C-alpha cells in the first residue's frame, strides 16, 4: 500500500472515452447491518443460476453426470484442432509481443510505477496460476506418459502414449514423457493466462474501462459492451470461476483427506472431507477479510518459500546431478518435440491429443478468466515486455525445473531402482510415495500437505476477489461482506456436491466453458494488438 | 490547540458528509488550522476516475471548493491503496502521519452488528495515532 499519496503523474496513456460510468448499473443497498454494492443484473443472475445448477445436478445426478461429461468429451474431441491451434496462436502472440516494440508499453501509463515487488508479484501469480496442479501432477503425469510410451501397445489405437510413444525404448520414452508433461505445464498454459491478463490490464489501467471480463470486448462491441452481450460474458466468467473453484475444492478435499490418511491415519469419510472444506474455507475467509496485501500476498509468499524448500530438498537428497543435467536435457527435448506435440492436424495419437492436450487446454482456458483477471489486478506498472517475461517465460522455466525434479526423480526411482510403489499408488498419493523413498519423509510429506491446503486457500481467496469484482461491475472497493459471501458460497457448493454427488459432472461443465472462452481469448488477442497500437511507447 | 485538521472523505457519498464537513470548517476557523481532505482510492478505474490521477484532480477540486465556501485554508491528499475496501483504516492512519494532522474530524454511521465484526475506522485512528478524533453522526 502506498503511503505517500498519489505516485508521480501516470504519464500519457490512451484513455477510451465512453459514456459508461463504472458502477452506473449497480444497486447499493443495506441488508441488515451489511452494505451491498452489486451489479444489476450480473450478481443476481450469477448467484441464482449457480444455485439452480447445483440443485438440478443434485436432483438429476444420474442424468447430469453423463450429459456434462459427454458434452466435455464431445467438445474436446471435435474441436481438438481448434483448442490446439488457438493455444499455439496465444504462445506466438506473446513471444512476438516480447520482442516487438509494443513490449515497451507500460501497464498503467507511461510513468506508472509497479504496485508490487517482483517477489510478491511472482508469488501471487504463480500460486493463482498452477501451484496446486504442480503438487498433484508433478509426479503423476510424467509417470503416466512414460509408462504409456514405453508400453508394448504404444502407437496402437488404444494407447494413450504421446506421438505414438516408443515401445520398449526406455530412454526415448523417458524423454517423450517429460517433453509431453512440460508441454502441458509451461508456455501454452501461461500464454493462455497472459493473453487474458494482458488484455484486462491494458483495458483497465491504460484505457480506463472497468476491471471486468467484458471490457476486452469494447473494441468489438463498442457501447453495447455495457448491455446484454457484456452481461452474458461476465456471467459465464463468474460461472466458470465459481464451479471451477468449488469442484476443485471438493476434489482437493478428497485428495487432502487421502494424504492425511496416509500420514496420520485420519479416516477417509465424508465427515473428514467436509471438515477439510470448512477448514480451508475458514482460513480463506480470514485471508479475504485481511485483504489483498495481508491475505493472498502473504500466504502466496509463504507458499513459495515452502515450495522452494521442498524443491531444494528433492534436489539435494534426490539424484542432484541427474536433476541439474535433466533440466537442460528436458528443455532440449521439449523444444525438439514441441512442433509435433503442438501440431493440430494429421495426428494419430487421438487418445493423447484429445484426452490430455485438448482437455488440458480447455481446462486452462476455463480457468483463464479467474487467473487472468487476478494477474491483471496485481500487474499495474510493469511494461508489456516485463509482464510477459514474468508471466510466460519464468513460470515456464520454474515448471520445467519442478517437473524435472519431481517427475524425473520418480521415473529414476522406477527405472533405476525398480521402485514400483509409485506406479501402483493412486493419483493423490503419488507425490507422497515418491517422498517415502527419501529420508525425512514425515517432514517432507507434511510440508506437501500444508502446501496443498494453502494453495487451495489462495485459490479460494483470489477467486472470491475476482468474482466479487465482476459481480460489482468492475468496482474493486465493494463492501468486504460480498467477498465473504462468495468465499462461503464456494465452500457450500463444494460441500453440497461432495455429499450429494456431482463433483465430476459440474467440473466437466466448468471445463466445457473453455470452448466459448477460446473464442473470447482469440478476440482478446485482437483487442490487445489494437489496444497496444494506440498506446504511447 | 490544533494545528492541522484531517477530514477523510468518500467522494461517492458527499451528501452524507455535510455535518462533518461543516464541523471541520468551524473548528478550522476557531483554531486557525488548515484542513486536509483525505480520500482513499484504488489504481483501478472506478466511478470517481479512470485512474488515480483523475481521482486526485477531483479531490483537489473538492478541497478548493470547501476552502472557498467556508473561507478556510485547505489541501487535498489522495492515497492509493491496493485494496481500499479492506485497507481503508491503515491508509487513514498513514495519512494522519503524512499530513501531520493532530485532529481528525470524520463522519460516522449509527453503529450496528457489523461493527463488532469489522472494527470502526474512527476507533482504529484513535488507537493507532496521536491525533484526537471527532466522530460526527450524520
Amino acid at each position: 500500500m502506498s503511503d505517500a499519496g498519489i505516485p508521480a503523474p501516470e504519464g500519457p496513456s490512451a484513455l477510451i472515452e465512453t459514456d459508461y460510468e463504472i458502477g452506473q448499473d449497480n444497486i447499493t443497498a443495506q441488508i441488515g447491518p451489511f452494505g451491498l454494492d452489486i451489479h444489476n443484473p450480473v450478481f443476481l443472475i450469477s448467484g441464482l443460476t449457480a444455485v439452480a445448477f447445483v440443485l438440478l445436478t443434485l436432483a438429476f445426478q444420474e442424468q447430469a453426470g453423463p450429459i456434462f461429461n459427454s458434452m466435455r468429451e464431445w467438445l474436446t474431441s471435435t474441436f481438438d484442432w481448434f483448442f490446439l491451434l488457438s493455444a499455439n496462436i496465444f504462445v506466438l502472440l506473446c513471444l512476438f509481443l516480447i520482442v516487438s516494440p509494443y513490449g515497451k508499453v507500460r501497464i498503467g501509463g507511461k510513468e506508472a510505477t509497479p504496485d508490487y515487488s517482483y517477489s510478491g508479484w511472482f508469488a501471487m501469480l504463480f500460486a493463482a496460476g498452477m501451484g496446486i496442479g504442480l503438487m498433484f501432477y508433478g509426479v503423476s503425469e510424467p509417470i503416466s506418459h512414460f509408462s504409456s510410451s514405453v508400453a508394448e501397445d504404444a502407437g496402437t489405437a488404444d494407447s494413450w502414449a504421446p506421438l505414438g510413444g516408443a515401445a520398449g525404448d526406455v530412454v526415448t520414452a523417458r524423454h517423450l514423457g517429460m517433453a509431453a508433461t512440460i508441454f502441458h505445464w509451461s508456455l501454452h498454459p501461461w500464454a493462455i493466462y497472459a493473453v487474458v491478463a494482458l488484455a484486462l490490464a491494458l483495458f483497465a489501467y491504460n484505457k480506463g474501462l472497468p476491471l471486468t471480463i467484458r471490457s476486452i470486448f469494447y473494441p468489438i462491441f463498442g457501447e453495447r459492451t455495457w448491455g446484454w452481450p457484456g452481461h452474458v460474458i461476465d456471467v459465464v466468467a463468474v460461472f466458470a470461476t465459481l464451479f471451477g473453484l468449488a469442484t476443485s475444492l471438493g476434489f482437493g478435499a478428497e485428495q487432502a483427506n487421502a494424504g492425511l490418511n496416509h500420514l496420520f491415519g485420519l479416516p477417509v469419510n465424508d465427515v473428514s472431507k467436509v471438515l477439510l472444506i470448512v477448514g480451508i474455507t475458514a482460513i480463506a475467509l480470514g485471508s479475504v477479510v485481511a485483504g489483498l496485501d495481508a491475505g493472498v500476498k502473504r500466504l502466496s509468499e509463504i507458499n513459495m518459500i515452502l515450495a522452494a524448500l521442498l524443491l531444494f530438498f528433492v534436489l539435494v537428497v534426490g539424484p542432484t546431478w541427474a536433476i541439474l543435467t535433466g533440466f537442460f536435457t528436458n528443455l532440449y527435448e521439449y523444444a525438439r518435440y514441441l512442433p509435433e506435440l503442438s501440431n493440430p492436424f494429421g495426428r494419430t495419437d487421438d487418445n493423447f491429443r484429445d484426452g490430455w492436450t485438448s482437455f488440458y487446454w480447455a481446462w486452462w482456458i476455463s480457468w483463464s478468466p479467474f487467473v487472468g483477471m487476478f494477474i491483471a489486478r496485481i500487474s499495474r506498472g510493469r511494461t508489456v515486455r516485463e509482464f510477459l517475461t514474468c508471466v510466460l517465460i519464468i513460470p515456464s522455466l520454474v515448471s520445467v525445473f519442478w517437473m524435472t525434479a519431481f517427475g524425473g526423480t520418480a521415473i529414476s526411482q522406477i527405472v533405476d531402482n525398480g521402485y514400483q510403489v509409485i506406479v501402483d499408488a493412486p493419483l493423490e498419493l503419488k507425490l507422497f510415495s515418491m517422498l517415502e523413498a527419501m529420508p525425512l519423509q514425515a517432514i517432507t510429506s507434511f510440508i506437501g500437505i500444508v502446501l496443498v491446503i494453502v494453495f487451495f486457500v489462495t485459490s479460494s481467496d483470489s477467486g472470491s476477489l475476482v468474482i466479487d469484482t465482476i459481480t460489482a461491475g468492475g468496482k474493486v472497493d465493494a463492501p468486504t461482506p460480498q467477498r465473504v459471501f462468495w468465499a462461503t458460497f464456494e465452500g457450500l457448493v463444494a460441500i453440497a456436491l461432495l455429499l450429494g454427488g456431482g463433483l465430476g459432472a459440474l467440473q466437466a461443465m466448468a471445463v466445457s466453458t473453455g470452448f466459448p472462452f477460446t473464442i473470447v481469448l482469440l478476440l482478446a488477442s485482437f483487442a490487445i494488438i489494437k489496444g497496444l497500437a494506440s498506446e504511447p511507447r | 490547540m490544533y494545528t492541522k485538521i484531517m477530514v477523510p472523505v468518500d467522494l461517492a457519498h458527499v451528501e452524507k458528509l455535510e455535518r462533518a464537513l461543516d464541523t471541520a470548517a468551524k473548528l478550522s476557523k476557531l483554531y486557525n488550522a488548515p484542513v486536509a481532505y483525505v480520500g482513499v482510492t484504488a489504481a483501478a478505474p472506478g466511478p470517481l476516475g479512470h485512474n488515480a490521477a483523475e481521482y486526485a484532480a477531483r479531490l483537489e477540486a473538492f478541497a478548493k471548493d470547501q476552502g472557498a465556501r467556508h473561507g478556510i485554508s485547505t489541501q487535498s491528499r489522495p492515497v492509493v491503496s491496493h485494496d481500499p475496501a479492506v485497507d481503508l483504516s491503515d491508509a487513514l492512519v498513514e495519512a494522519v502521519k503524512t499530513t501531520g494532522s493532530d485532529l481528525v474530524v470524520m463522519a460516522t454511521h449509527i453503529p450496528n452488528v457489523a461493527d463488532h465484526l469489522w472494527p470502526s475506522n474512527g476507533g482504529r485512528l484513535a488507537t493507532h495515532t496521536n491525533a484526537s478524533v471527532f466522530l460526527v453522526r450524520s
Side-chain angles (χ1 to χ4, degrees):
Chain A
M1 111 130 268
S2 159
D3 55 6
I6 283 274
E10 306 298 303
S13 72
L15 282 175
I16 289 179
E17 286 308 327
T18 159
D19 295 334
Y20 181 78
E21 197 173 293
I22 297 170
Q24 72 172 33
D25 295 330
N26 280 26
I27 298 175
T28 49
Q30 189 80 20
I31 297 183
F34 303 116
L36 276 187
D37 189 353
I38 52 174
H39 186 276
N40 177 35
V42 171
F43 184 97
L44 264 185
I45 296 183
S46 318
L48 291 179
T49 39
V51 172
F53 258 94
V54 172
L55 291 180
L56 282 174
T57 309
L58 290 177
F60 301 100
Q61 251 184 70
E62 281 176 18
Q63 292 89 336
I67 291 177
F68 291 153
N69 275 315
S70 53
M71 178 167 79
R72 198 224 352 111
E73 265 166 40
W74 181 75
L75 284 171
T76 48
S77 58
T78 311
F79 295 102
D80 51 353
W81 60 273
F82 180 61
F83 285 115
L84 266 75
L85 192 63
S86 305
N88 292 344
I89 291 174
F90 305 144
V91 173
L92 291 174
L93 172 72
C94 292
L95 293 175
F96 162 73
L97 289 178
I98 291 178
V99 295
S100 80
Y102 292 139
K104 277 198 233 158
V105 172
R106 193 174 282 281
I107 297 167
K110 213 163 183 278
E111 284 148 42
T113 47
D115 278 358
Y116 290 98
S117 67
Y118 275 113
S119 62
W121 182 44
F122 186 76
M124 282 193 282
L125 71 90
F126 201 82
M130 55 175 55
I132 195 75
L134 288 178
M135 296 302 298
F136 283 118
Y137 296 96
V139 170
S140 71
E141 190 173 338
I143 295 177
S144 295
H145 295 325
F146 166 73
S147 308
S148 61
S149 295
V150 79
E152 285 305 316
D153 71 342
T156 64
D158 291 333
S159 162
W160 284 75
L163 304 175
D169 181 349
V170 174
V171 176
T172 311
R174 192 172 179 155
H175 289 158
L176 198 51
M178 289 308 296
T181 310
I182 290 167
F183 171 57
H184 292 152
W185 290 88
S186 55
L187 289 178
H188 286 74
W190 286 104
I192 287 167
Y193 292 156
V195 164
V196 181
L198 182 58
L200 281 171
L202 192 65
F203 280 90
Y205 291 126
N206 294 53
K207 309 292 181 193
L209 299 184
L211 187 62
T212 171
I213 306 291
R214 68 172 81 193
S215 294
I216 297 174
F217 281 84
Y218 192 83
I220 296 141
F221 289 157
E223 292 297 319
R224 272 176 303 160
T225 309
W226 317 121
W228 277 101
H231 299 338
V232 172
I233 293 162
D234 279 354
V235 167
V236 179
V238 170
F239 208 76
T241 306
L242 182 67
F243 284 132
L245 279 171
T247 51
S248 301
L249 190 60
F251 283 125
E254 291 188 337
Q255 289 161 336
N257 196 178
L260 286 168
N261 172 271
H262 180 71
L263 276 182
F264 304 113
L266 180 82
V268 177
N269 56 32
D270 283 348
V271 178
S272 308
K273 289 173 200 163
V274 170
L275 283 178
L276 272 167
I277 295 180
V278 171
I280 290 171
T281 306
I283 306 174
L285 283 178
S287 170
V288 161
V289 173
L292 196 53
D293 289 359
V296 186
K297 177 165 163 262
R298 201 171 292 168
L299 285 178
S300 300
E301 284 172 340
I302 292 173
N303 245 16
M304 272 296 131
I305 294 170
L306 284 179
L309 279 177
L310 197 60
L311 185 63
F312 186 70
F313 173 82
V314 173
L315 176 67
V316 172
V317 178
T320 313
W321 183 245
I323 293 173
L324 291 176
T325 53
F327 175 72
F328 295 101
T329 315
N330 289 339
L331 261 184
Y332 169 75
E333 295 298 337
Y334 168 56
R336 192 161 74 94
Y337 284 114
L338 185 59
E340 279 178 87
L341 287 168
S342 59
N343 172 22
F345 303 110
R347 294 191 23 193
T348 50
D349 52 353
D350 288 358
N351 279 341
F352 174 79
R353 191 192 56 223
D354 297 348
W356 281 100
T357 308
S358 181
F359 171 76
Y360 260 129
W361 284 190
W363 188 20
W364 296 127
I365 291 170
S366 73
W367 279 85
S368 66
F370 151 44
V371 180
M373 192 154 142
F374 183 68
I375 296 178
R377 168 96 186 253
I378 57 174
S379 299
R380 189 180 150 275
R382 302 284 172 191
T383 63
V384 169
R385 187 166 295 140
E386 241 182 323
F387 174 88
L388 289 172
T389 307
C390 288
V391 178
L392 184 74
I393 308 293
I394 296 179
S396 296
L397 291 175
V398 172
S399 289
V400 175
F401 198 72
W402 184 276
M403 290 298 178
T404 304
F406 286 78
T409 302
I411 295 180
S412 291
Q413 286 173 338
I414 297 169
V415 175
D416 306 336
N417 309 342
Y419 182 64
Q420 272 299 311
V421 182
I422 308 185
V423 182
D424 303 332
L427 173 79
E428 59 268 27
L429 291 181
K430 284 193 197 289
L431 171 70
F432 301 109
S433 313
M434 186 206 99
L435 293 173
E436 225 169 45
M438 294 182 168
L440 300 175
Q441 66 110 352
I443 298 173
T444 52
S445 298
F446 182 70
I447 293 180
I449 288 275
V450 173
L451 270 171
V452 169
I453 290 176
V454 182
F455 273 132
F456 269 115
V457 170
T458 51
S459 299
S460 166
D461 186 352
S462 44
S464 310
L465 206 67
V466 164
I467 297 180
D468 180 41
T469 307
I470 299 177
T471 54
K475 272 190 167 183
V476 295
D477 59 349
T480 324
Q482 282 173 218
R483 290 182 208 169
V484 173
F485 167 78
W486 286 114
T488 314
F489 191 62
E490 242 165 63
L492 289 177
V493 171
I495 291 174
L497 293 172
L498 181 80
L499 296 180
L503 273 175
L506 271 188
Q507 189 165 54
M509 174 82 209
V511 172
S512 303
T513 60
F515 181 69
F517 273 117
T518 309
I519 300 167
V520 172
L521 262 69
L522 286 170
L523 293 172
S525 308
F526 166 74
I528 288 174
I529 298 280
K530 212 173 158 192
L532 283 175
S534 63
E535 279 297 306
R537 294 196 282 275
Chain B
M1 196 185 291
Y2 300 110
T3 54
K4 195 162 196 183
I5 302 170
M6 177 176 123
V7 181
V9 289
D10 178 355
L11 288 183
H13 298 109
V14 177
E15 73 286 351
K16 289 186 184 161
L17 304 175
E18 274 313 316
R19 273 163 67 92
L21 294 172
D22 220 41
T23 309
K26 292 207 165 88
L27 289 170
S28 164
K29 274 188 194 155
L30 180 64
Y31 296 112
N32 196 22
V35 178
Y37 297 94
V38 173
V40 179
T41 184
L48 298 166
H50 290 107
N51 49 43
E54 279 187 26
Y55 178 86
R58 205 180 262 236
L59 188 64
E60 196 185 340
F62 174 82
K64 280 192 179 138
D65 175 61
Q66 287 290 317
R69 190 177 298 184
H70 299 288
I72 52 173
S73 157
T74 63
Q75 54 180 262
S76 64
R77 180 113 199 140
V79 180
V80 181
S81 156
H82 290 154
D83 195 355
V86 172
D87 293 335
L88 183 61
S89 296
D90 291 336
L92 293 180
V93 166
E94 216 38 61
V96 168
K97 293 173 186 163
T98 48
T99 56
S101 304
D102 46 9
L103 172 65
V104 179
V105 176
M106 61 195 292
T108 181
H109 59 93
I110 295 165
N112 58 34
V113 188
D115 291 295
H116 293 287
L117 301 172
W118 280 277
S120 70
N121 296 318
R124 177 141 175 109
L125 281 178
T127 48
H128 286 76
T129 68
N130 292 325
S132 304
V133 181
F134 186 160
L135 298 178
V136 182
R137 280 276 153 80
S138 47

